[in-house]
Amino acid sequence: MISLPLVVFVLGTTGVGKSKLAIELAKQFNGEIISSDSMQLYKDGGDITTNKVKIEEMEGIPHHMMSFLPINTLNYNVSDFASKALEIIHDILSRNKLPIVVGGTHYYTCSLLWSDSIISLDNNTNNSSENKIVSEEKEKEEEGEEIIDKNKYSYEILKEIDPIMAEKLHRNDIRKIKRSLDIYYNSGKKQSDLINDQHNKKSLRFRSCLLWLECKDQSILEYRLNKRVDDMIELGMLNEVFNIFKILNKSNTENFSKGLTQAIGIKELYDYYLFLNDQENENEKKENLKIDNNNSNSDGDSNQDNNSYKIKKIEKLKMKKEKLREKLYKESIDNIKSHTKRYAIRQVKWISKISPNNTPLDILSLDSSNLDLWSHLVFTPSKNRVSQFINDLNLTGYKNKDSIESCGNNNNNNNNNNNNNNNNNNNNNNNNNNNNNDNDDNNNNTTAGDNNGNSNNNSDLNKWRKYYCEHCSKELNGDNEWNFHQKSKQHRHRLKKRDNNDSDNNNNNNNSFIDNKNKDGNIASQEKGEIEIEK
């Protein structure tokens, strides 16, 4: 098997130290860094907001795919990114240096990791029309959609054409429904078939050393993220964003769904920006005009009283406006912080689903919660893992040997594999018996899947299941959503309310039974009394 060149991938959420680790590894192994952050591509704006590495922090290490697009670029997509980034990676390799990919945009990272992903950009691979269509529709989903004709794109139509995708998508998610139907209309193939085909033939572009940097102490991560926002505000983030609004705004970016305006911290500050600019002094001017009109209609003797009244009125108006400004400012900053935390949660989910079930990846999990132990817990293990990949060409990035061989030989060994099926099955029991020992020896190794090392089943569309909660009248997609919903406060509150209602109904039924029993007894007594009287 021909050995592929080595590329290091540093994965992780925002606020865990990815850039720091990438720079340290680049210094150690003569490397250069390729950013896969979709919001750091733009120049002349957004450096603070997107948290770009400062020049002095780069320590002389070349950084690529940063600050080269004009700020008003709105149509740059993952296909453009991968084409340019792959050229840079091959150039770095040609100079016998180590490419290190680091960034938080999962879809951009995957375009460099996998050779047969949704888009195919290898020089020796012909891009199929189906791949291009899927790529274009994926980009439309990320960038925002035009007004959608719901008569042409409906859940019922999707259910007839592609029932597997209909089972996966929510009936109200009209954008994804349109994307799925457009793929069928343009290619004649169902999206579910294309996805399953792509999962079956995925292979790594390079020998991939995968490092997953986490901050497993959530309280520490939350503190870091909040502090990062506060630090960006002190560095001048507000002025930077306000300057961006002079070029880009809500209308020319389709509600902040294109280009740099998708970055967290931009749309959150827009209302505050409008208040400070469009609404500034407007109420005060109206009040001054009203007071001046009153003065013009009054006698000269009362002008002094009117001026005093005017001053008090203006001061009161200023205080009211200042309170409103403080409220808007606080809401904006709180939204930036909460959206940053939610984005970090989504990043973890993306990384945990980075590979399909049939090609699990071997990822080194690192914990950066304690920065005092950074060298011991993060840098040294990472350095050792990269050294292993440099010295052992058999390490490819796959979790086990079978996956490596299936990737390298593809279909060449199919006959041999079929002949050896019985032997492999006989060895399965032995392998299973040794699983516990293997797990003990690899506590830091994680198969792409969930945080416990379990492979992700959601990539298999045929196993996808949709749930409906009768108590909440809500449709849930997949096991994760269903399990999360069952633990939610809303669901538990409705269950509690239902149980209370059932209890009340039972009590009412019991009371009715007692009342009827007493009523029957009273009637019987009354009848008995009437009989006695007759006698």
Side-chain angles (χ1 to χ4, degrees):
M1 180 176 66
I2 299 175
S3 177
L4 295 172
L6 174 63
V7 175
V8 175
F9 290 84
V10 180
L11 312 172
T13 68
T14 183
V16 295
K18 297 188 301 296
S19 296
K20 173 180 170 63
L21 177 60
I23 291 170
E24 290 177 348
L25 292 175
K27 291 170 61 180
Q28 181 74 28
F29 295 103
N30 190 28
E32 295 186 12
I33 292 172
I34 303 96
S35 169
S36 62
D37 190 316
S38 62
M39 294 296 102
Q40 294 186 357
L41 303 171
Y42 303 92
K43 62 182 178 179
D44 301 327
D47 290 7
I48 299 172
T49 308
T50 60
N51 200 41
K52 287 181 186 175
V53 180
K54 300 181 182 67
I55 294 178
E56 57 270 21
E57 294 173 341
M58 293 180 182
E59 300 188 41
I61 300 299
H63 281 62
H64 305 276
M65 299 304 290
M66 291 175 63
S67 303
F68 66 93
L69 287 178
I71 194 174
N72 59 349
T73 303
L74 301 177
N75 58 354
Y76 198 82
N77 59 38
V78 67
S79 180
D80 300 324
F81 167 82
S83 296
K84 184 176 179 65
L86 287 171
E87 289 180 3
I88 292 172
I89 289 175
H90 289 300
D91 175 65
I92 294 171
L93 291 168
S94 70
R95 292 184 277 111
N96 294 319
K97 302 186 76 174
L98 179 65
I100 301 173
V101 177
V102 57
T105 305
H106 171 76
Y107 195 57
Y108 278 41
T109 302
C110 283
S111 71
L112 304 180
L113 181 66
W114 297 107
S115 62
D116 293 300
S117 56
I118 296 295
I119 56 170
S120 183
L121 297 163
D122 299 289
N123 294 330
N124 60 350
T125 303
N126 294 324
N127 291 345
S128 67
S129 60
E130 292 87 356
N131 282 341
K132 290 180 180 178
I133 291 167
V134 174
S135 174
E136 290 170 0
E137 295 303 325
K138 178 67 177 177
E139 288 306 310
K140 287 179 182 178
E141 179 188 354
E142 289 188 350
E143 295 175 1
E145 290 282 0
E146 69 280 5
I147 298 174
I148 298 172
D149 182 359
K150 293 185 179 180
N151 292 324
K152 183 180 178 182
Y153 300 101
S154 69
Y155 183 79
E156 287 70 25
I157 296 174
L158 178 64
K159 200 169 183 179
E160 291 180 7
I161 293 176
D162 194 343
I164 294 178
M165 287 306 299
E167 184 65 21
K168 183 179 188 299
L169 300 180
H170 194 285
R171 63 174 58 250
N172 294 332
D173 196 344
I174 190 65
R175 289 173 58 183
K176 290 186 179 180
I177 290 171
K178 180 185 184 300
R179 174 192 167 203
S180 185
L181 287 172
D182 274 340
I183 290 171
Y184 177 78
Y185 293 152
N186 294 326
S187 70
K189 294 186 178 181
K190 295 184 289 187
Q191 185 188 14
S192 58
D193 291 340
L194 292 176
I195 291 175
N196 285 329
D197 288 344
Q198 288 159 355
H199 279 306
N200 291 334
K201 62 183 181 181
K202 266 190 173 183
S203 60
L204 294 173
R205 291 184 189 276
F206 309 100
R207 288 199 306 122
S208 302
C209 178
L210 296 151
L211 309 172
W212 182 356
L213 191 55
E214 299 179 84
C215 179
K216 296 183 178 179
D217 189 322
Q218 291 301 308
S219 61
I220 293 177
L221 178 59
E222 184 172 342
Y223 169 79
R224 288 182 190 171
L225 297 179
N226 287 337
K227 187 176 185 303
R228 168 181 284 189
V229 174
D230 294 334
D231 290 344
M232 291 193 297
I233 297 297
E234 289 185 10
L235 289 171
M237 176 182 174
L238 265 66
N239 288 334
E240 180 181 82
V241 173
F242 291 170
N243 287 329
I244 292 173
F245 288 145
K246 295 176 182 178
I247 304 171
L248 304 171
N249 54 54
K250 190 174 184 178
S251 59
N252 63 19
T253 61
E254 295 186 17
N255 197 22
F256 303 119
S257 65
K258 290 181 176 292
L260 177 61
T261 60
Q262 299 172 90
I264 295 174
I266 293 182
K267 57 181 173 291
E268 290 85 356
L269 287 168
Y270 192 60
D271 288 341
Y272 184 62
Y273 169 78
L274 291 179
F275 175 81
L276 294 180
N277 292 272
D278 297 343
Q279 303 300 326
E280 188 173 18
N281 294 325
E282 184 174 331
N283 293 330
E284 187 174 341
K285 289 177 182 178
K286 289 181 180 179
E287 189 62 30
N288 286 339
L289 180 62
K290 180 179 177 182
I291 295 172
D292 289 338
N293 290 335
N294 292 335
N295 287 340
S296 63
N297 297 327
S298 62
D299 297 332
D301 294 338
S302 61
N303 282 343
Q304 187 174 358
D305 293 336
N306 286 335
N307 287 335
S308 299
Y309 171 78
K310 177 180 178 180
I311 293 172
K312 291 179 181 179
K313 193 72 174 177
I314 292 174
E315 290 298 326
K316 187 175 181 180
L317 194 63
K318 284 182 178 180
M319 290 176 61
K320 184 178 180 181
K321 190 173 70 172
E322 178 61 20
K323 287 182 180 180
L324 182 56
R325 186 199 68 78
E326 291 176 355
K327 180 183 177 184
L328 277 174
Y329 175 79
K330 184 178 184 305
E331 288 176 352
S332 300
I333 304 305
D334 288 345
N335 285 336
I336 294 173
K337 291 179 178 180
S338 64
H339 292 169
T340 301
K341 283 178 269 190
R342 286 196 306 198
Y343 181 62
I345 293 171
R346 291 201 303 271
Q347 285 177 308
V348 172
K349 292 180 180 179
W350 292 337
I351 298 170
S352 68
K353 299 176 183 178
I354 201 168
S355 67
N357 295 335
N358 60 338
T359 51
L361 300 180
D362 190 13
I363 302 179
L364 179 64
S365 178
L366 304 154
D367 187 4
S368 67
S369 298
N370 190 342
L371 295 180
D372 293 334
L373 298 176
W374 171 273
S375 178
H376 177 67
L377 296 179
V378 178
F379 175 65
T380 299
S382 300
K383 180 183 70 173
N384 293 340
R385 176 57 65 93
V386 175
S387 296
Q388 290 174 353
F389 269 79
I390 291 173
N391 296 323
D392 188 350
L393 298 181
N394 290 322
L395 295 176
T396 63
Y398 290 102
K399 183 66 176 177
N400 54 57
K401 185 177 180 182
D402 291 337
S403 294
I404 297 172
E405 293 176 348
S406 65
C407 169
N409 299 316
N410 288 329
N411 296 325
N412 293 336
N413 294 329
N414 281 345
N415 293 331
N416 292 334
N417 290 336
N418 290 332
N419 293 334
N420 292 329
N421 274 343
N422 291 332
N423 293 332
N424 290 334
N425 290 332
N426 291 334
N427 291 329
N428 281 340
N429 291 332
N430 293 332
N431 292 333
N432 290 333
N433 291 335
N434 292 327
N435 276 344
N436 292 333
N437 293 332
D438 292 340
N439 290 333
D440 292 338
D441 292 336
N442 295 284
N443 287 331
N444 288 330
N445 292 336
T446 303
T447 303
D450 60 26
N451 291 334
N452 298 322
N454 299 322
S455 60
N456 169 42
N457 291 325
N458 287 343
S459 60
D460 190 342
L461 294 177
N462 296 317
K463 293 181 180 179
W464 189 272
R465 184 179 178 188
K466 188 174 289 187
Y467 298 86
Y468 184 81
C469 179
E470 295 180 354
H471 307 296
C472 304
S473 299
K474 190 172 184 179
E475 188 176 89
L476 293 314
N477 279 1
D479 294 336
N480 288 342
E481 273 196 24
W482 175 245
N483 293 332
F484 180 80
H485 175 72
Q486 286 182 307
K487 298 174 183 178
S488 68
K489 290 182 179 179
Q490 180 192 33
H491 179 73
R492 287 187 281 112
H493 174 72
R494 290 183 181 273
L495 287 182
K496 186 177 180 180
K497 188 175 180 181
R498 180 205 63 179
D499 292 340
N500 291 336
N501 290 337
D502 290 344
S503 177
D504 292 340
N505 290 334
N506 290 334
N507 291 334
N508 291 334
N509 290 335
N510 291 335
N511 291 334
S512 297
F513 175 76
I514 293 171
D515 290 342
N516 290 333
K517 187 175 180 181
N518 292 336
K519 184 177 180 180
D520 293 341
N522 292 335
I523 293 173
S525 299
Q526 185 178 355
E527 290 177 349
K528 183 178 179 181
E530 291 173 354
I531 293 171
E532 292 290 339
I533 293 172
E534 289 178 0
K535 287 182 178 180

